[in-house]
């Protein structure tokens, strides 16, 4: 399938409005909003409510943003209403907050195969939300909550600043669950926020996609709510008193407060609404255009914040869901810029309307008239779906922004699907190159009993067979290099390197073909001219495949690179004994180690310096212990033990060397 046909297939249906209708007709949003209002009214850190009447056993945890607003009110007053400090991004780990980095370790962990352009950007989150979450996390009540909800279906929820704190709580819960079971699916957790400000930068968005947690976050945004859009402004232009004042406006006890609270709420009330609207449209529009051009403007000093998860864009007409970050930014701009009734809704009303929306949307969906085919000319299903999505999100078909929003929605949806389509095409291509792999397996079986396929390939036995196998080796290498190039360019899903199908396929390819690469390297004498294979000759793809496999296999994320840690490999081998020899030797660099051991053995025979000899003998003894453990645990293929294999020849050479008196004496001292 070519690219054109792939795009056509991806554009057959637009489901944003269908997903929005499904979500709006469920009781989830109404129940989550009830917990938000309860948390805001009580103004503690959080409130917990079990929901067992539906038999699902869900637990709702509502977070209050009042404490965050109270702590920020003084800073907002001191800063003249600006939010450069209150809403500044704070790095997690590294040069940022080390304690927070440990709490969100899976997100902070460097991506081994991230594109070079993105590798230098650390994960960062909003300072105010992080400060309040860390304070909350230190309380015994919150730690008790984490223990109680373990293994249950949990809905974290919050309104305004409480939504940002709820998102951090959900991320922390996902992180601790991932640390205990790194290869297990994400726990049954959903975070539902209402009118929440943006939480983190683009690096956080990429990390969440990498961990496959994007579907765990649902951000409900009304059409004219300013709070979810304000952090698109540059940090020094953020009107912090607006966000803080909006949160305090929902707090029943605000009328009893004085000082900074009164000042902030008064400033919010006297803000010029048209100026505020123009400020938001200017900066959200700039980010939307940046996303469209896919070329960040580094000269404008824009906002570092970007969305993640699914955005539910609500209006009196319904709701539309977008799960693509680019589409979210562009639709946040288009829905805000489109006003069907100018001046009808104040910012305070738009920020507090969610309770009314979640109650009225299901009723509206039942009463809404269906499109009649007779009223309009026939059009593709996709165009009809886009029209319904725009209508549901509040964009009038005749509005000036409608055509732009329509194009953005089409483009972003296609771009969002393209990585999945590319992945599907690669799966087809992987099937097509299976005969190349099968011929190498046949070649291996041919020499298993004599010298093994490593030595047969190195010595160019059976030239015609060698030629075919070498061509297949090159074809397979080109395929996997092409896969990594697409991954580096962002043309494949963010979690591609964690999908079991591709991790296992890459591992099998590596175990089968890397020995041939080692044989070719040593046949041409490159180990003498360029240096050791493992330090100078190994292809980047093999190093990445090692990391992919370690991420899958290890628990806790440590362990070191397989190419430099023989002791850890032997330990893992001893922990799982086989009943018969492996089909492929489980250390892809085993033959490189054998070649180095043979060179060391040859060098030790003529070594006269006692210190040098002792060092070489110690290394040889270490390799002997490692290889014996692999053989004993049957982690090697039968070709390793073939009569004329390099390993069998090394064992004979090493045993002869150990017969020398001075060598025996040194080994006894070891």
């Amino acid at each position: 399938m070519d690219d054109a046909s792939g795009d056509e297939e991806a554009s057959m249906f637009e489901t944003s409005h269908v997903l929005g209708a499904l979500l709006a007709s469920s009781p989830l949003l109404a129940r989550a909003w009830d917990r938000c209002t309860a948390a805001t009214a009580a103004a503690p850190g959080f409130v917990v409510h079990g929901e067992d009447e539906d038999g699902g056993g869900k637990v709702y945890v509502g977070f209050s943003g009042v404490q965050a607003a109270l702590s920020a009110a003084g800073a907002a007053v001191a800063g003249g209403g600006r939010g450069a400090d209150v809403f500044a991004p704070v790095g997690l780990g590294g040069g940022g907050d080390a304690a927070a980095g440990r709490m969100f370790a899976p997100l902070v962990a460097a991506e081994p195969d991230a594109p070079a352009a993105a590798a230098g950007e650390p994960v960062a989150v909003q300072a105010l939300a992080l400060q309040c979450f860390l304070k909350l996390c230190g309380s015994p009540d919150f730690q008790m909550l984490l223990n109680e909800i373990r293994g249950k279906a949990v809905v974290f929820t919050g309104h305004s600043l409480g939504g940002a704190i709820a998102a951090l709580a959900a991320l922390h819960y996902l992180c601790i669950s991932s640390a205990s079971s790194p290869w297990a699916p994400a726990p049954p957790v959903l975070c539902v926020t209402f009118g929440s400000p943006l939480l983190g930068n683009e690096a956080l968005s990429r990390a969440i996609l990498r961990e496959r947690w994007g579907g765990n976050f649902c951000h409900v945004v009304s059409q004219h709510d300013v709070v979810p859009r304000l952090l698109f402004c540059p940090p020094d232009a953020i009107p912090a008193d607006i966000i803080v004042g909006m949160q305090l406006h929902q707090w029943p006890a605000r009328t009893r407060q004085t000082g900074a609270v009164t000042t902030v709420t008064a400033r919010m009330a006297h803000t010029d609404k048209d100026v505020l609207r123009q400020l938001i449209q200017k900066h959200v529009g700039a980010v939307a255009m940046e996303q469209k051009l896919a070329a960040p403007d580094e000269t404008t000093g824009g906002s570092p914040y970007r969305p993640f998860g699914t955005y539910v864009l609500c209006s009196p007409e319904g709701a539309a869901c977008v799960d693509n970050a680019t589409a979210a930014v562009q639709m946040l701009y288009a829905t805000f810029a489109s006003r069907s009734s100018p001046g009808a809704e104040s910012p305070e009303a738009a920020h507090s309307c969610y309770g009314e929306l979640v109650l009225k949307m299901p009723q509206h969906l039942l009463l809404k008239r269906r499109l009649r085919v007779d009223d309009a000319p026939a059009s593709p299903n996709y165009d009809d779906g886009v029209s319904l999505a725009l209508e549901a999100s509040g964009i009038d078909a005749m509005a000036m922004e409608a055509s732009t929003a329509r194009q953005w929605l089409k483009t972003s949806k296609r771009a969002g699907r393209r990585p999945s389509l590319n992945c599907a095409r690669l799966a087809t291509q992987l099937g097509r190159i299976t005969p190349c792999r099968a011929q190498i397996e046949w070649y291996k079986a041919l020499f298993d009993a004599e010298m093994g396929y490593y030595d047969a390939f190195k010595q160019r036995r059976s030239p015609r067979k060698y030629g075919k196998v070498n061509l297949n080796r090159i074809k397979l290498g080109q395929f996997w290099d092409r896969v990594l190039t697409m991954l580096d360019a962002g043309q494949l899903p963010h979690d591609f390197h964690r999908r079991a199908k591709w991790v296992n396929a890459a591992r099998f390819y590596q175990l089968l073909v890397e020995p041939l690469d080692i044989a070719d390297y040593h046949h041409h004498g490159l180990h003498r001219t360029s240096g050791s294979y493992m330090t100078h000759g190994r292809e980047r793809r093999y190093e990445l495949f090692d990391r992919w496999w370690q991420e899958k296999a290890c628990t806790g994320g440590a362990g070191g690179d397989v190419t430099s840690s023989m002791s850890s490999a032997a330990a893992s081998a001893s922990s799982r004994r086989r009943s018969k020899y492996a089909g492929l030797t489980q250390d892809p660099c085993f033959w490189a180690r054998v070649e180095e051991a043979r060179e060391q053995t040859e060098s030790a025979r003529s070594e006269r310096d006692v210190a040098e000899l002792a060092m070489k003998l110690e290394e040889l003894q270490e390799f002997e212990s490692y290889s014996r453990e692999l053989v004993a645990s049957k982690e090697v293929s039968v070709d390793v033990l073939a009569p004329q294999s390099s390993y069998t020849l090394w064992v004979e050479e090493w045993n002869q060397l150990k017969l020398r008196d001075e060598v025996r004496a040194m080994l006894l001292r070891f």
Side-chain angles (χ1 to χ4, degrees), residues 222-357:
S222 71
Q223 184 176 3
H224 300 132
D225 191 353
V226 300
V227 173
R229 299 168 169 94
L230 270 174
L231 292 192
F232 283 116
C233 300
D236 57 353
I238 295 173
D241 49 359
I242 297 296
I243 301 179
V244 174
M246 290 284 186
Q247 176 71 74
L248 294 175
H249 183 74
Q250 313 298 317
W251 185 31
R254 70 183 185 282
T255 55
R256 301 194 297 269
Q257 301 296 314
T258 58
V261 174
T262 304
T263 303
V264 167
T265 52
R267 281 181 178 173
M268 180 194 68
H270 291 91
T271 298
D272 188 318
K273 305 304 186 290
D274 291 332
V275 172
L276 176 63
R277 183 177 183 80
Q278 291 171 8
L279 174 72
I280 294 173
Q281 281 189 223
K282 172 186 174 183
H283 291 293
V284 181
V287 177
M289 290 303 297
E290 170 192 308
Q291 299 277 10
K292 177 183 178 183
L293 299 173
D297 186 356
E298 299 177 355
T299 64
T300 60
S303 167
Y305 293 103
R306 293 295 182 269
F308 64 86
T310 299
Y311 270 72
V312 183
L313 304 165
C314 298
S315 77
E317 300 298 320
C321 292
V322 289
D323 58 2
N324 176 286
T326 299
V329 174
Q330 294 169 345
M331 291 299 289
L332 283 170
Y333 168 73
T335 52
F336 189 76
S338 175
R339 294 191 74 171
S340 55
S341 52
E345 192 174 33
S346 68
E348 294 89 341
H351 190 56
S352 59
C353 70
Y354 293 98
E356 184 179 357
L357 276 176

Side-chain angles (χ1 to χ4, degrees), residues 15 23 34 56-57 62 73 138 143 147 159 163 216 242 284 291 320 372 402 449 455 495 504 537 560 608 621 654:
T15 58
L23 185 61
D34 287 344
Q143 294 301 320
N147 292 328
H159 174 234
N216 295 80
I242 297 296
V284 181
Q291 299 277 10
R372 290 179 298 177
D455 285 283
D495 64 343
N504 291 334
R608 295 293 178 262
Q621 193 173 41
W654 171 237

Side-chain angles (χ1 to χ4, degrees), residues 71 166 174 242 248-249 282 291 375 466 493 518 529:
S71 65
L174 288 166
I242 297 296
L248 294 175
H249 183 74
K282 172 186 174 183
Q291 299 277 10
D375 295 342
Y466 160 78
I518 298 170
T529 58

Side-chain angles (χ1 to χ4, degrees), residues 50 53 82-84 102 134 158 183 239 242-243 269 303 318 338 381 387 446 468 477 554 594-595 598 636 646 664:
E53 60 263 25
R82 296 303 172 191
R102 291 189 293 271
L134 291 177
W183 201 249
I242 297 296
I243 301 179
S303 167
S338 175
N381 291 331
S387 298
L446 190 66
K468 290 182 179 179
C554 71
V594 170
E595 294 288 358
R598 293 195 71 182
V636 298
S646 290
R664 190 186 303 112

